[in-house]
Amino acid sequence: MEKRVENIADMNVDFAQWYTDVVRKAEMAEYSETGGCIIYKPYGYAIWELIQKSLDDRLKKTGHENVYMPMLIPESLLQKEADHVEGFAPEVAWVTHGGSEKLQERFCIRPTSETLFCSHYANAIQSYRDLPKLYNQWCSVMRWEKTTRPFLRGREFLWQEGHTAHATAEESRSEALDILDTYVDISENVLAMPCIKGQKTEREKFAGALDTFTFESLMHDGKALQSGTTHDFGNKFAKAFGIQYLDKNNKQQHVHQSSWGISTRLIGAIIMVHGDNNGLVLPPYVAPIQVVIVPVASHKEGVVEKATELCEKLSKSVRVKLDNSDKKPGWKFAEYEMKGVPIRLEIGPKDIEQNQCVIARRDTGEKITIPLDNVENIITETLEAIHKNMYAKAKSRQDKNTHTATTLPQLKEILDSTPGFVKAMWCGDDSCELRIKEEATATSRCMPFEQEKVSDKCVVCEKPASHMVVWGRAY
Amino acid sequence: MEKRVENIADMNVDFAQWYTDVVRKAEMAEYSETGGCIIYKPYGYAIWELIQKSLDDRLKKTGHENVYMPMLIPESLLQKEADHVEGFAPEVAWVTHGGSEKLQERFCIRPTSETLFCSHYANAIQSYRDLPKLYNQWCSVMRWEKTTRPFLRGREFLWQEGHTAHATAEESRSEALDILDTYVDISENVLAMPCIKGQKTEREKFAGALDTFTFESLMHDGKALQSGTTHDFGNKFAKAFGIQYLDKNNKQQHVHQSSWGISTRLIGAIIMVHGDNNGLVLPPYVAPIQVVIVPVASHKEGVVEKATELCEKLSKSVRVKLDNSDKKPGWKFAEYEMKGVPIRLEIGPKDIEQNQCVIARRDTGEKITIPLDNVENIITETLEAIHKNMYAKAKSRQDKNTHTATTLPQLKEILDSTPGFVKAMWCGDDSCELRIKEEATATSRCMPFEQEKVSDKCVVCEKPASHMVVWGRAY
């Protein structure tokens, strides 16, 4: 059985087509009969499970608890916080009938669950002793998008949403900032994805938030991706929903809240940050298969036995798969390259004679011969090295594609010729941000926490600047 | 701070109220503003996570893969298999609008996902090499029930649904039977819940199935609970959806399929099988807190330190919580009793002096003093002993409440006076089953795999019997 020729588009020629090809040919997702919603296939879903585990472990260690709220929100509940309903009502799916009966009140499928958590907190929180509440939920949400792309923008996507309630304004703010750090930790140390972290402008912040924080990543084509956000609500929702507690001095106080989320969008980011013209390149710590063993000349005596023995040995420390099928080694090589498996391990009769095997790295293509006696250590070290190299490569590309601009024409010119992040100063006026949006078709990605002074003046109006902002064209 | 008096109803007087009281006072779930849908609170959700893990590990070991399908099903897709749509259409929630636009075709929120999996399989399966497909999905489903009870029957509940496709009729059948064994393994060895396993009658089988298999558990009040089911579809759905593969002889064949699911209903079963008049009693292997440490006279020097040290030590082998709050020990004792924590560990100044502590078992109330040096082993052994005792108690109650009947009046009389399972012979005619349903308000729970001959004749029509059936009144 020959491997079917599975050409994928050249990423430098047609990045969008390359992306779709990788998603489908690496068997991560497939289109469904439900328009705008994808099927998360085993390989794509397994990556999500690994991302979930890395975050869930961190959240549990820091005292967060998982809960599950209804997927339907009564229309009247969605409407309680004015900015929030304005932000979400235009893009929700409405349930109007249960069985054959028309409902008295419509329900929307959650686009996000602030309203449900707030309504619960209004009942559950009475005293300062009930605080903080550190709840998280793993679920899917629904937003009726017009144009969709697998993992990046879909009508339904998988995510987690954290919703916390605290006694003070300082606490809800530091929760939003701490969780952002947790996200960045995962981005860098699990997904090998560098990013810029900062605060969103008023225009770009979440509907109903006091402040929104974000981490932004740069894709291979120079476009930005908002990888995840955390929000400090202050007491805005608490006032709208009447969430109060009796403090130690017996006075009623409104709680302060945060919310935060990352989603399966991160899978899209992994593809677009690390992928190449041979397909997916997976960061080792979220690779469902970290090592694939391909026996060579497996009809020869002892090869399958040795490969099986090796697989069992390695399975104690890494996620390993032995591909023992009757496909040809060349077919298998191409298949696991497309699927971005970090290490391919080849073993044949000659290797066995010499007590060695060959490992090939997906990130560099490098092939080395290693002694079987030390295979476990070398594999573990190589996975670490792959992670580091992938991060370094992505970081150097991000740095190379981060420019500075001091005038609006320059900002536009950079984005037209060498897409990437553009640092430019801003006076803080929405009208200037809007002009950049309209004239350079770029959005403010964030006001980085690490500020630097690119110039003194706003890139648009030339008035004194208050912030350095990173701009970009985004997914 | 005194513990509030939290009376719960007497289970022998008002079992339904007792159940609701336990659900709410053990903080497992709460009502929501979305009618018929509950909020899974941290303690309830944590039990679900432990059930999930026990099944997910078993499924992965046997080659099953997790996927995620859209939550919405186009109306036309739901209608493809006649029996299936007839079974589910009356109780689905319909999405008719996206944002402000009326949709051209309605979508229902999945009540179960056979149709989505079948539609995917019709595209994804081409050759015998693509088989078997062993997919599973963790998600929530929606059924527009009129009357609901937390965990037992709700409009939205959490579950897993496995959907598999096989080359032969034998394979889909053995998959359905193997998974039933896996479920029973979890019921008995994780949840300490005995059950009867068998096959559903035609009347009680799943809409669209060839055969349905079930495991049925007996609740404290003598009512039966269908704890989970597996279905053999044969090639019924494959024919309706056109799922075919090219076999080794180059001939087109329809696949054979199975589906199977367990849900958060199992949490309801745990409550109703093991609970008592002091609240919840949790089987150790799904208890979010297996051991709670309550320091006594914690203001005395060294008590908190010793309790903390003990907690750290135990955390290596069990799920342990130290309650170091300023509530009184008596309040804490009642609290963790209500929450069904298997072992309470008390430690005070005198214990420390004598290098010992006291452990109290939730299942028996027994208190014993044990040496601190051997605390880890004793705790592990005690958790095992609690599991075994809980299983044995439930099994003996099930046996005691399983009766036999040879006439319909006798069957009814037993169910009226001593509710439980009733074994009775059946001729196989639906009309006889219907008479039992109408006259004894009982349903056939299953035709147990372990058949025994209670008599020769059908309990209704007195014609020769073909099966022994277990009957009961069910949730």
Side-chain angles (χ1 to χ4, degrees), chain A residues 223-374:
Chain A
K223 277 198 189 167
L225 187 84
Q226 177 180 303
S227 293
T229 48
T230 72
H231 317 291
D232 178 13
F233 289 139
N235 59 17
K236 279 183 73 175
F237 276 84
K239 284 182 174 166
F241 285 82
I243 315 173
Q244 289 185 290
Y245 70 96
L246 215 54
D247 72 10
K248 290 187 182 172
N249 305 316
N250 245 11
K251 273 179 71 180
Q252 287 286 352
Q253 303 280 2
H254 284 104
V255 301
H256 292 74
Q257 292 172 273
S258 86
S259 87
W260 27 274
I262 54 169
S263 74
T264 37
R265 179 165 241 227
L266 284 176
I267 300 175
I270 291 170
I271 300 170
M272 293 195 294
V273 167
H274 298 302
D276 65 21
N277 270 329
N278 292 317
L280 192 60
V281 183
L282 283 180
Y285 302 129
V286 287
I289 306 166
Q290 296 176 304
V291 180
V292 61
I293 300 178
V294 179
V296 180
S298 58
H299 56 283
K300 293 267 174 75
E301 204 193 317
V303 173
V304 170
E305 289 74 7
K306 197 71 191 174
T308 308
E309 185 194 313
L310 204 52
C311 184
E312 272 167 29
K313 195 164 148 188
L314 285 173
S315 68
K316 281 166 199 138
S317 49
V318 293
R319 294 183 289 275
V320 57
K321 173 184 170 160
L322 167 61
D323 188 342
N324 209 4
S325 65
D326 57 4
K327 294 159 195 158
K328 289 188 177 162
W331 191 97
K332 295 179 188 174
F333 290 5
E335 172 77 2
Y336 296 106
E337 197 156 280
M338 172 65 74
K339 288 194 157 181
V341 174
I343 297 176
R344 181 180 74 235
L345 188 157
E346 305 162 20
I347 187 158
K350 277 186 192 151
D351 297 313
I352 294 170
E353 239 169 58
Q354 292 170 40
N355 201 35
Q356 66 184 32
C357 65
V358 174
I359 59 171
R361 278 173 65 157
R362 176 63 180 89
D363 62 329
T364 58
E366 192 189 358
K367 279 177 83 157
I368 54 169
T369 301
I370 61 168
L372 280 181
D373 295 337
N374 202 18

Side-chain angles (χ1 to χ4, degrees), chain A residues 1 27 30-35 37-43 45-46 49 56 60 65-74 76-77 80 89-101 103 106-107 109-110 116 119-120 123-124 128-129 133 135 138 140-142 144 146 155-156 158 326-327, chain B residues 1 27 30-35 37-43 45-46 49 56 60 65-74 76-77 80 89-101 103 106-107 109-110 116 119-120 123-124 128-129 133 135 138 140-142 144 146 155-156 158 326-327:
Chain A
M1 181 177 178
E27 301 188 89
E30 198 45 80
Y31 297 110
S32 78
E33 290 202 38
T34 308
C37 298
I38 58 167
I39 294 164
Y40 294 78
K41 295 183 74 178
Y43 201 61
Y45 195 81
E49 286 185 311
D56 202 67
K60 282 184 172 138
E65 299 180 297
N66 286 336
V67 299
Y68 186 80
M69 294 280 163
M71 70 152 81
L72 297 182
I73 306 173
S76 55
L77 190 61
K80 274 202 172 175
E91 57 172 36
V92 296
W94 290 105
V95 172
T96 57
H97 290 74
S100 54
E101 272 173 44
L103 303 175
R106 300 196 296 177
F107 294 92
I109 300 177
R110 61 179 162 228
L116 292 162
S119 148
H120 174 60
N123 295 320
Y128 70 93
R129 287 174 181 273
K133 289 269 187 227
Y135 284 179
W138 293 97
S140 76
V141 288
M142 179 76 65
W144 213 257
K146 303 260 181 231
R155 286 190 174 162
E156 183 183 13
L158 301 168
D326 57 4
K327 294 159 195 158
Chain B
M1 181 177 177
E27 299 189 271
E30 199 44 81
Y31 296 110
S32 77
E33 290 202 38
T34 308
C37 298
I38 58 167
I39 294 164
Y40 294 78
K41 295 183 75 177
Y43 201 61
Y45 194 81
E49 286 185 310
D56 202 66
K60 282 185 172 135
E65 300 180 296
N66 286 336
V67 298
Y68 187 80
M69 294 280 163
M71 71 152 82
L72 297 182
I73 305 173
S76 55
L77 190 61
K80 274 202 171 175
E91 58 171 35
V92 296
W94 290 105
V95 173
T96 57
H97 290 74
S100 53
E101 271 173 45
L103 303 175
R106 301 196 296 179
F107 295 91
I109 300 177
R110 61 180 163 227
L116 293 163
S119 148
H120 174 60
N123 295 319
Y128 71 93
R129 286 174 181 274
K133 288 271 188 225
Y135 284 0
W138 293 98
S140 76
V141 289
M142 178 77 65
W144 214 255
K146 303 258 181 235
R155 287 190 173 164
E156 183 183 13
L158 299 169
D326 58 2
K327 294 159 194 159

